[in-house]
Amino acid sequence: MARALINVPKAAKRGQVIEIKTLISHIMETGFRHDDVGQPIPRDIITDFVCTYNGEQIFRADLYPAVAANPFITFFTVATESGTIAFEWNGDNGFHETESVQIMVE
Amino acid sequence: MIVFATRWWRYALAAALLITAVAVVVIARAEIPLSERHSGYDDIGRDTKAMQDDDMINPATLWVLDGETLWNTKAGAAGRACADCHGQAADSMKGVAARYPAYDAARKGPVDLEQRINICRTDHQKAMPFKFESKELLALATYVGRQSRGMQIENSDERLKPFIEAGRKLFTQRQGQINLSCAQCHDDNWGKHLASSLIPQGHPTGYPIYRLEWQSLGSLQRRLRNCMIGMRAEPYGYGAPENVNMEVFLMWRARGLKLETPAVRP
Amino acid sequence: MRDSIKGTTRRELLGAIAGAGIASVIRIEPSRATPTSMKAAIRNVVGEAAVKKGKVHIDVPPLVENGNTVSLTIEVDSPMTPKDHVKAIHVFNELNPQPNVISAHIGPHAGRAKISTRFRLADTQTIVAIAEMSDGSFWSASADVVVTLAACLETL
């Protein structure tokens, strides 16, 4: 089942600043809600998100319950060389998702 | 003046005023002129519009992708995928969602897209139907709906007429604890605000939608049930004929507007 | 007053209806963050350093369409060179149950100190974005956001 949407330009010029857009499917249950019989619903969120570019970390985010469901995060990076841009999400209850895309840099 | 000494004239005056007031209200509850209708897309903010316009940042795309996977997955005792009968959805499903709910001859009444998908599941795939509002059913409905994006909503099937009327009756009747009808907000007061929320005209131009309030994707029936709960009225069950008739009426009311599935709404 | 209905007074009936209506609207409120706990969360990040106003730009709607999903963009003025860049952007809020929203760690390879996300706001409040610079300084901006409940709620 589709887990994440990744938007990275397929190709870029060396030194060009490119925008990376990510969206991952996740309920981001805050832990502050109660069900209709008053029982607290336990927290279930993504707690961190890391992006690496050919193995080197270029972005990291700590997420808190205030991040909306289906976390959407965009950031920028300088296109340096062709290779792999990899993404990793970790969270409560052993949540662990990875994605990667290729980029061509000339 | 003996006639003014008796009370009857007061009652007659009151009755006349009441009839006039009711007549004014009834006249005010007319449908929106065709040229004044617009999609809820025009009412939403810049960032919400941006979410809808770009498939890559529209969370609903996750459901479209899931729907595509399901479309191509063999299922049921018959071991068939949707693709086995319908081929490429981009071809075979083009225009379908724009004319749903559609009249089903075997059932002598309209069925909405979710029901139609389940009919295919049970009759042709020999599989269990999906539960209403399940991830799978929403994914397939969104994927199919996506194939009609940009097309005009149309429902000229004559056989739908009695169901459009049944839906119109539900739309204009007062109901619930606050004795409110759908028409009072969405025909008479669209464009104004209810507790700082802008009242839209209420055209289902983009269903299933990603709703910011739900932080998830949901069907038109979920939205209608949401409305009725908000109005303090008892909502109809998923798949109930009242819900389908309302869908038929609302799509007729939105005829000619373009389908935006999957839309993003507050 | 001649407005009783079959033994129940109008007032009692309205009270019962209002009670039934309100019961389904009220959400059980947990302990909330306060401007004080937001200050504490900020101090957790900046320590004793002074936080200067400036360089940080917050793009958030002043009146949100729905507090459950609010689009947010933060941009920080910076040449983003190895000697002078933004190390991290931290976002805080006043009145959600927790004062933190997100912390983004970037660096000179970002090229541009700009992030976007979607977050939740429980009530009308002020949000604060703090940029942590490579020279150890902190810069901030704040934005007031008006948040209302949706007109028609779906009960849980």
Side-chain angles (χ1 to χ4, degrees):
Chain A
M1 288 298 198
R3 275 287 181 174
L5 294 176
I6 307 288
N7 199 350
V8 175
K10 284 202 176 56
K13 293 211 176 343
R14 196 173 305 268
Q16 186 184 346
V17 177
I18 58 169
E19 187 173 18
I20 296 175
K21 301 184 195 178
T22 69
L23 192 155
I24 180 141
S25 172
H26 197 282
I27 192 173
M28 295 297 282
E29 186 59 64
T30 62
F32 299 117
R33 295 200 308 161
H34 294 74
D35 62 19
D36 46 10
V37 292
Q39 292 305 304
I41 304 171
R43 192 185 93 162
D44 185 9
I45 66 166
I46 292 175
T47 49
D48 57 272
F49 166 65
V50 178
C51 176
T52 59
Y53 187 169
N54 282 339
E56 192 192 323
Q57 181 178 304
I58 56 167
F59 182 84
R60 182 171 68 84
D62 306 315
L63 281 73
Y64 293 86
V67 175
N70 304 315
F72 173 72
I73 299 175
T74 77
F75 53 96
F76 288 79
T77 197
V78 178
T80 48
E81 52 191 12
S82 300
T84 306
I85 300 185
F87 308 88
E88 185 178 319
W89 296 263
N90 291 298
D92 297 335
N93 303 312
F95 185 83
H96 173 74
E97 278 296 324
T98 56
E99 274 290 344
S100 67
V101 294
Q102 297 302 308
I103 185 167
M104 258 255 294
V105 180
E106 58 241 1
Chain B
M1 286 282 220
I2 293 170
V3 64
F4 292 104
T6 59
R7 284 210 199 166
W8 73 266
W9 70 268
R10 281 194 209 147
Y11 296 125
L13 184 61
L17 284 170
L18 185 63
I19 289 167
T20 315
V22 168
V24 166
V25 168
V26 166
I27 289 164
R29 208 175 295 155
E31 61 177 80
I32 305 170
L34 284 179
S35 57
E36 280 179 40
R37 296 171 316 151
H38 62 260
S39 160
Y41 178 84
D42 298 338
D43 300 328
I44 60 183
R46 175 203 68 176
D47 294 315
T48 315
K49 279 195 172 91
M51 268 173 81
Q52 180 175 317
D53 292 342
D54 185 351
D55 279 345
M56 287 312 288
I57 67 171
N58 184 345
T61 304
L62 293 169
W63 278 263
V64 174
L65 294 172
D66 282 352
E68 186 178 29
T69 304
L70 284 165
W71 179 267
N72 292 305
T73 305
K74 293 195 191 294
R80 277 200 202 110
C82 315
D84 290 335
C85 290
H86 294 288
Q88 295 281 353
D91 302 322
S92 58
M93 294 295 111
K94 194 171 168 66
V96 169
R99 58 175 177 81
Y100 259 76
Y103 187 81
D104 184 271
R107 284 158 184 79
K108 295 197 173 57
V111 294
D112 66 17
L113 193 55
E114 283 88 349
Q115 289 174 312
R116 180 68 237 172
I117 290 168
N118 268 340
I119 289 168
C120 273
R121 268 197 65 91
T122 51
D123 291 0
H124 303 294
Q125 291 179 302
K126 309 279 186 249
M128 292 296 291
F130 290 124
K131 278 181 73 171
F132 283 109
E133 284 326 272
S134 64
K135 212 167 188 252
E136 293 87 354
L137 189 55
L138 287 174
L140 276 170
T142 310
Y143 179 60
V144 171
R146 177 70 179 79
Q147 312 309 323
S148 292
R149 189 183 249 192
M151 302 183 66
Q152 285 191 333
I153 292 170
E154 67 106 342
N155 24 52
S156 41
D157 191 339
E158 286 290 309
R159 297 173 295 180
L160 287 176
K161 271 199 162 40
F163 303 95
I164 293 172
E165 279 317 301
R168 183 205 301 274
K169 206 154 164 283
L170 290 162
F171 190 79
T172 51
Q173 75 181 14
R174 284 173 178 268
Q175 56 188 315
Q177 291 174 333
I178 17 185
N179 212 26
L180 208 56
S181 77
C182 314
Q184 284 178 289
C185 278
H186 295 291
D187 273 346
D188 300 344
N189 289 293
W190 61 267
K192 298 190 196 141
H193 290 81
L194 176 65
S196 98
S197 293
L198 183 79
I199 300 173
Q201 292 184 347
H203 299 294
T205 45
Y207 278 85
I209 58 166
Y210 188 83
R211 194 171 180 222
L212 303 185
E213 169 71 18
W214 301 330
Q215 293 177 72
S216 188
L217 183 131
S219 68
L220 177 54
Q221 287 204 17
R222 177 176 178 183
R223 189 68 192 85
L224 294 176
R225 283 168 49 88
N226 194 157
C227 282
M228 293 186 67
I229 293 166
M231 286 160 68
R232 303 282 177 267
E234 191 69 42
Y236 299 103
Y238 280 106
E242 289 87 349
N243 269 332
V244 183
N245 290 341
M246 272 198 282
E247 284 185 89
V248 175
F249 169 70
L250 288 171
M251 287 298 265
W252 173 83
R253 186 168 168 268
R255 62 199 183 283
L257 297 178
K258 294 213 176 92
L259 202 69
E260 299 162 27
T261 303
V264 181
R265 295 285 185 268
Chain C
M1 276 249 270
R2 275 187 153 276
D3 57 358
S4 57
I5 306 167
K6 278 216 161 77
T8 322
T9 64
R10 191 159 150 268
R11 189 171 300 171
E12 278 172 35
L13 188 61
L14 282 175
I17 291 170
I22 285 167
S24 52
V25 165
I26 280 185
R27 292 167 176 164
I28 299 169
E29 296 280 3
S31 57
R32 279 166 144 205
T34 59
T36 318
S37 62
M38 181 176 77
K39 286 204 175 72
I42 291 173
R43 202 168 306 118
N44 236 8
V45 166
V46 309
E48 293 306 314
V51 180
K52 293 172 265 196
K53 279 211 186 329
K55 293 192 194 280
V56 180
H57 307 280
I58 300 177
D59 184 358
V60 71
L63 167 61
V64 308
E65 281 180 308
N66 194 295
N68 286 353
T69 312
V70 183
S71 290
L72 173 71
T73 300
I74 315 262
E75 183 157 17
V76 186
D77 298 332
S78 167
M80 295 305 281
T81 62
K83 285 219 164 63
D84 183 6
H85 58 267
V86 177
K87 279 189 1 199
I89 299 172
H90 307 276
V91 183
F92 303 91
N93 71 85
E94 269 186 320
L95 295 176
N96 285 359
Q98 249 213 345
N100 304 81
V101 178
I102 192 171
S103 287
H105 304 269
I106 55 180
H109 39 241
R112 198 167 168 191
K114 183 177 176 188
I115 59 164
S116 288
T117 189
R118 295 172 193 146
F119 72 124
R120 298 161 166 155
L121 285 174
D123 202 347
T124 295
Q125 58 188 292
T126 304
I127 61 164
V128 172
I130 294 185
E132 187 180 340
M133 309 304 240
S134 51
D135 64 1
S137 66
F138 293 91
W139 295 81
S140 79
S142 66
D144 296 326
V145 190
V146 176
V147 180
T148 56
L149 285 178
C152 292
L153 298 173
E154 192 184 43
T155 48
L156 251 186

